Amino acid sequence: MNIALRPANRRTFAKLALFSALMFGVGYALVPLYSVFCAVTGLNQIGVDRQPVNLQLDTGRVVNIEFDANVHHLPWKFRPVQTHLGVHPGELMQTEFEIINTRNEAVTGQAIPSYSPPEAAQYFKKISCFCFSKQTLAAGQVQRMPLVFVVDPALPKEMGTITLSYTFFEVEGNAVANSGDGAGKS
Amino acid sequence: MNATANGHSDHRPSGWRRWLTTTNHKDIGTLYLWFSFVMFMLGGIMALLIRAELFQPGLQFLEPERFNQIVTLHGLIMVFGAIMPAFVGFANWMIPLQIGASDMAFGRLNNWSFWLLIPASLLLITSLFVPGGAAGVGWTLYPPLSVQMGIGMDLTIFAVHILGISSILGSINIITTVLNLRAPGMTMMKIPMFTWTWLITAFLVIAVMPVFAGAVTMILTDRHFGTSFFSAAGGGDPILYQHVFWFFGHPEVYIVILPGFGIISQVVPAFSRKPLFGYTSMVYATGSIAILGFFVWGHHMFTSGMPVTAQLFYMYATMLIAVPTGVKVFNWIATMWRGQLTFETPMLFALGFIFLFVMGGFSGLVLAMTAVDVQMHSTYYVVAHFHYTMVAGALFSAFAAVYFWLPKWTGHMYDEKLAKLHFWLTMIFFNVTFFVQHFLGLAGMPRRIPDYALQFADFNMISSIGAFGLGLSQLLFLYIVIVCIKGGAPAAAKPWDGAEGLEWEVPSPAPHHTWEVQPVVK
């Protein structure tokens, strides 16, 4: 073979080899390109968290929710973290209440809700509430507890304000619970 | 000019050392062609196992897992072991002769490209005997299954890596040879069509084989190194693999057919005794097919949940490829028009190629229509389609090339009567095997299954009978070639009176060294 051509052949080889190496990279580049293409065109959004759209949200009005917290013969300080909230009917809301046990021993209590006006009760949907179960606080413990709720969009227009009042009652004698029977008490 | 004038003696090592250490383009071409034939027989035996199992409904010979492995290996071996090495063999033998070069640009690289094929094929064959068996995922190696299979899959991945390196090095060699080593006066628009189509094919190889290597590397790292390119559980996407694979896979089907187009473009003028009609348009048509081939991969994935806009794009782009392909078919027919036709075996295979490849092209157009493809996807209609393009296309053109150039290689004429018998047996049994598969596909028989519903039984039986006929006919081909190597009527330097090109100016058989002094082309 013509020896004079060797440098030219080597240059051609280098260029073509570089091109092959770049194409190997292109194979890998297709991975992010694929994601970008899918994201731009909105295709194939598998595994991407899409926020569900709340079709029941009534943004046309704001209902004022007032929170009230009381204790009945209980050595607790109980207060809403937010005293009132403006919510759209249909909107998922979360708020918190705080209890402080001032006694030197563990105390168990349960909260009972009440509404004003009372008809509002059927439209006030509690998704998660500390009132669903007994709460036990150790001596001096401070606890924040969530309330998750939705106000039904079917709420009558004239109800502009709902007051939700909780009252904590002591669940008597943890010893009773130990005896395995709390049913006969009330 | 004296084609054999050279300063070298004909010295070369003898025995096995000659073949192991050779850097001679003719020796390496011969090695490629024999390797390709062995792989063709091996892939053919696998095809016959498949057809034996499908001869009747029910499971007779193969477990379903084994059946899938055989189907996979049949595809991989035929594409990467038989068709591609066959064309590289022709390229090695003929391109230096056609462009008046003394050898390929990189002799040792050429040797290495060939010998890499041996470990790759051994890996593929060995994978049948490892626990869990060979890859049973189909030649496309789709995840999630390819991410989950046993060690056979790893062997397949490494085989693909080695095959990829081999074909990339071979293609770089071919491009360098064609670009740098042409005889003085041979401008780009004077190089023979076979060399032209190989030049374009070689560019396709170096553009897409690395992408395939990347895709299987991603599978490998998904399997063993904790990446999640395709594993949905880790945030990956199996559909991504299909995109990457077919970005390689569609140009790949042109890699296995474009050199065939080149062969036909040389055989048809030789036996029509007319120059090729529309040489320039042939070159541009080949280039267009190659470029368009990069934008149609989505037509393999119409059922993967693609949006309608993308389906329409891929559908129209796919149909567009029929235009340059139609230009080629038109040119071949126009070359024959008012030619002095004779029908020696290379011409018969070329005509068989044109007839059957056009049929495969038309079934391809049918499948290009999204609405139709959704119905026929993964049925035997697709199997019939791509066997009309790959067997009647690539294989028929390879047979045409062997009979066309065999006198040049061996210095003897082959037995024309037996060769014609080989053609007719191949032609008839090919159609018996694959034509009925169109009907099976239209009736809804899925591909890659070892068992099938009773209503498909008759056509499958016909197809299996055809397959055994087709397979056995190839033993006749082997016999013809061996007889031709051993002896026969001596061949003139130009055994075909209508043939043109520098390869016919060297004596037959072509001496070990040719074109040491480059010819000047006017």
Side-chain angles (χ1 to χ4, degrees):
Chain A
M1 206 194 70
N2 194 338
I3 291 173
L5 280 168
R6 279 191 185 163
N9 287 347
R10 287 205 179 130
R11 274 196 302 278
T12 312
F13 181 88
K15 279 182 212 161
L16 295 171
L18 180 69
F19 177 69
S20 302
L22 284 178
M23 286 310 292
F24 186 76
V26 166
Y28 274 84
L30 286 174
V31 177
L33 279 175
Y34 176 75
S35 308
V36 170
F37 185 82
C38 290
V40 169
T41 54
L43 300 170
N44 199 26
Q45 298 286 305
I46 298 163
V48 175
D49 275 341
R50 263 182 284 191
Q51 291 300 322
V53 179
N54 187 346
L55 296 174
Q56 303 208 324
L57 188 62
D58 181 358
T59 52
R61 58 178 166 151
V62 176
V63 180
N64 190 31
I65 311 289
E66 295 184 335
F67 298 107
D68 176 42
N70 310 289
V71 291
H72 183 78
H73 299 307
L74 214 70
W76 287 1
K77 290 181 181 167
F78 176 41
R79 67 175 185 93
V81 175
Q82 288 164 294
T83 53
H84 57 88
L85 275 175
V87 304
H88 296 300
E91 192 177 7
L92 188 70
M93 297 300 293
Q94 177 162 4
T95 186
E96 284 188 320
F97 285 71
E98 187 183 80
I99 334 174
I100 303 168
N101 183 7
T102 57
R103 201 186 279 175
N104 280 335
E105 60 181 45
V107 177
T108 301
Q110 176 139 22
I112 304 295
S114 67
Y115 299 92
S116 172
E119 300 79 34
Q122 60 183 302
Y123 301 108
F124 194 95
K125 311 280 188 195
K126 295 191 292 292
I127 310 296
S128 168
C129 178
F130 56 89
C131 58
F132 290 169
S133 57
K134 295 173 191 168
Q135 305 292 331
T136 302
L137 270 71
Q141 187 186 349
V142 180
Q143 180 163 301
R144 286 199 169 195
M145 302 166 298
L147 166 68
V148 181
F149 66 94
V150 175
V151 175
D152 194 328
L155 182 78
K157 299 270 182 217
E158 59 274 18
M159 284 190 204
T161 299
I162 300 171
T163 304
L164 169 57
S165 174
Y166 283 107
T167 304
F168 255 108
F169 293 86
E170 181 164 8
V171 178
E172 292 286 343
N174 292 330
V176 177
N178 288 342
S179 72
D181 181 20
K185 257 168 40 61
S186 63
Chain B
M1 80 192 82
N2 184 355
T4 50
N6 62 74
H8 296 231
S9 67
D10 230 19
H11 171 77
R12 59 196 177 208
S14 55
W16 60 272
R17 275 174 195 279
R18 169 185 171 189
W19 299 104
L20 188 65
T21 63
T22 182
T23 58
N24 180 281
H25 72 100
K26 299 182 188 78
D27 282 356
I28 294 173
T30 305
L31 285 172
Y32 264 110
L33 289 172
W34 277 113
F35 172 81
S36 152
F37 187 77
V38 170
M39 288 294 121
F40 173 58
M41 285 285 124
L42 194 63
I45 289 168
M46 289 174 173
L48 295 187
L49 284 173
I50 293 166
R51 283 319 317 174
E53 177 58 55
L54 295 174
F55 185 69
Q56 286 185 323
L59 296 176
Q60 283 88 29
F61 304 107
L62 297 167
E63 294 296 307
E65 294 81 8
R66 194 53 102 181
F67 182 88
N68 286 345
Q69 294 165 17
I70 300 282
V71 167
T72 305
L73 282 184
H74 165 73
L76 287 171
I77 285 178
M78 284 302 200
V79 171
F80 294 106
I83 301 177
M84 285 173 72
F87 285 141
V88 179
F90 296 134
N92 263 295
W93 250 104
M94 301 319 297
I95 287 178
L97 288 182
Q98 287 195 330
I99 64 171
S102 61
D103 207 314
M104 300 293 281
F106 308 106
R108 291 199 180 90
L109 192 72
N110 205 9
N111 175 293
W112 202 45
S113 305
F114 170 75
W115 285 106
L116 277 177
L117 291 176
I118 306 296
S121 55
L122 288 178
L123 279 176
L124 280 181
I125 296 161
T126 315
S127 71
L128 274 171
F129 305 102
V130 298
V137 292
W139 83 284
T140 53
L141 311 178
Y142 276 5
L145 192 51
S146 58
V147 177
Q148 294 161 350
M149 293 202 69
I151 193 172
M153 188 67 214
D154 298 310
L155 298 182
T156 306
I157 289 171
F158 290 132
V160 166
H161 279 142
I162 299 172
L163 290 166
I165 292 169
S166 162
S167 57
I168 289 167
L169 294 178
S171 295
I172 289 178
N173 210 344
I174 287 169
I175 296 172
T176 311
T177 306
V178 176
L179 292 185
N180 294 359
L181 301 185
R182 294 192 312 280
M186 181 169 278
T187 58
M188 288 306 278
M189 291 314 275
K190 278 186 187 168
I191 59 182
M193 270 319 292
F194 174 68
T195 301
W196 244 124
T197 51
W198 239 117
L199 178 66
I200 292 169
T201 303
F203 272 108
L204 284 181
V205 170
I206 61 169
V208 299
M209 280 309 284
V211 175
F212 187 34
V216 295
T217 309
M218 289 183 225
I219 290 180
L220 188 74
T221 55
D222 270 17
R223 289 167 60 82
H224 299 296
F225 301 102
T227 60
S228 295
F229 289 104
F230 309 128
S231 157
D237 187 346
I239 299 293
L240 167 65
Y241 176 83
Q242 299 188 16
H243 283 285
V244 180
F245 177 83
W246 286 112
F247 180 81
F248 146 80
H250 201 76
E252 169 69 20
V253 306
Y254 294 134
I255 288 168
V256 301
I257 198 60
L258 290 184
F261 286 168
I263 290 162
I264 302 306
S265 302
Q266 301 224 240
V267 170
V268 169
F271 295 94
S272 306
R273 291 163 184 79
K274 275 175 67 191
L276 180 68
F277 182 89
Y279 170 89
T280 313
S281 65
M282 266 328 203
V283 172
Y284 283 109
T286 312
S288 315
I289 292 172
I291 291 167
L292 285 175
F294 280 97
F295 301 101
V296 298
W297 78 85
H299 68 216
H300 298 270
M301 305 167 53
F302 279 149
T303 58
S304 70
M306 190 181 273
V308 173
T309 320
Q311 289 181 336
L312 285 175
F313 169 80
Y314 286 121
M315 177 170 108
Y316 292 135
T318 303
M319 291 180 171
L320 196 59
I321 294 186
V323 176
T325 313
V327 168
K328 286 185 154 293
V329 174
F330 177 86
N331 285 348
W332 291 324
I333 293 172
T335 304
M336 286 186 274
W337 177 252
R338 295 193 169 173
Q340 293 171 282
L341 301 184
T342 53
F343 299 97
E344 286 89 345
T345 312
M347 183 63 165
L348 288 178
F349 271 107
L351 293 174
F353 169 97
I354 296 172
F355 174 56
L356 297 176
F357 186 80
V358 166
M359 282 177 62
F362 276 131
S363 58
L365 277 176
V366 171
L367 288 169
M369 282 181 277
T370 308
V372 179
D373 181 79
V374 170
Q375 176 79 13
M376 318 245 243
H377 187 86
S378 265
T379 66
Y380 262 82
Y381 193 89
V382 179
V383 176
H385 158 69
F386 70 72
H387 282 91
Y388 265 77
T389 55
M390 288 216 189
V391 180
L395 184 66
F396 272 43
S397 65
F399 283 142
V402 169
Y403 287 119
F404 190 50
W405 286 315
L406 204 51
K408 178 59 59 192
W409 300 337
T410 63
H412 306 122
M413 296 306 288
Y414 56 87
D415 186 329
E416 189 68 51
K417 261 192 191 150
L418 283 182
K420 280 187 173 155
L421 180 66
H422 171 232
F423 167 74
W424 285 111
L425 288 174
T426 305
M427 182 75 180
I428 291 165
F429 282 123
F430 169 79
N431 283 292
V432 173
T433 310
F434 292 108
F435 195 75
V436 290
Q437 293 185 1
H438 289 110
F439 304 134
L440 286 171
L442 289 169
M445 178 172 165
R447 57 193 284 210
R448 293 170 176 158
I449 51 159
D451 188 9
Y452 49 84
L454 290 180
Q455 70 264 32
F456 303 130
D458 292 348
F459 281 138
N460 269 299
M461 188 176 281
I462 294 170
S463 181
S464 291
I465 292 169
F468 276 87
L470 185 60
L472 292 175
S473 307
Q474 305 323 310
L475 298 177
L476 178 60
F477 172 69
L478 177 65
Y479 174 76
I480 294 168
V481 171
I482 289 176
V483 168
C484 182
I485 292 170
K486 298 232 177 229
K494 190 166 123 177
W496 316 114
D497 58 326
E500 285 185 30
L502 290 177
E503 74 254 44
W504 306 112
E505 292 181 20
V506 301
S508 298
H512 201 55
H513 296 289
T514 43
W515 299 133
E516 292 282 291
V517 176
Q518 288 204 299
V520 178
V521 179
K522 290 173 198 109

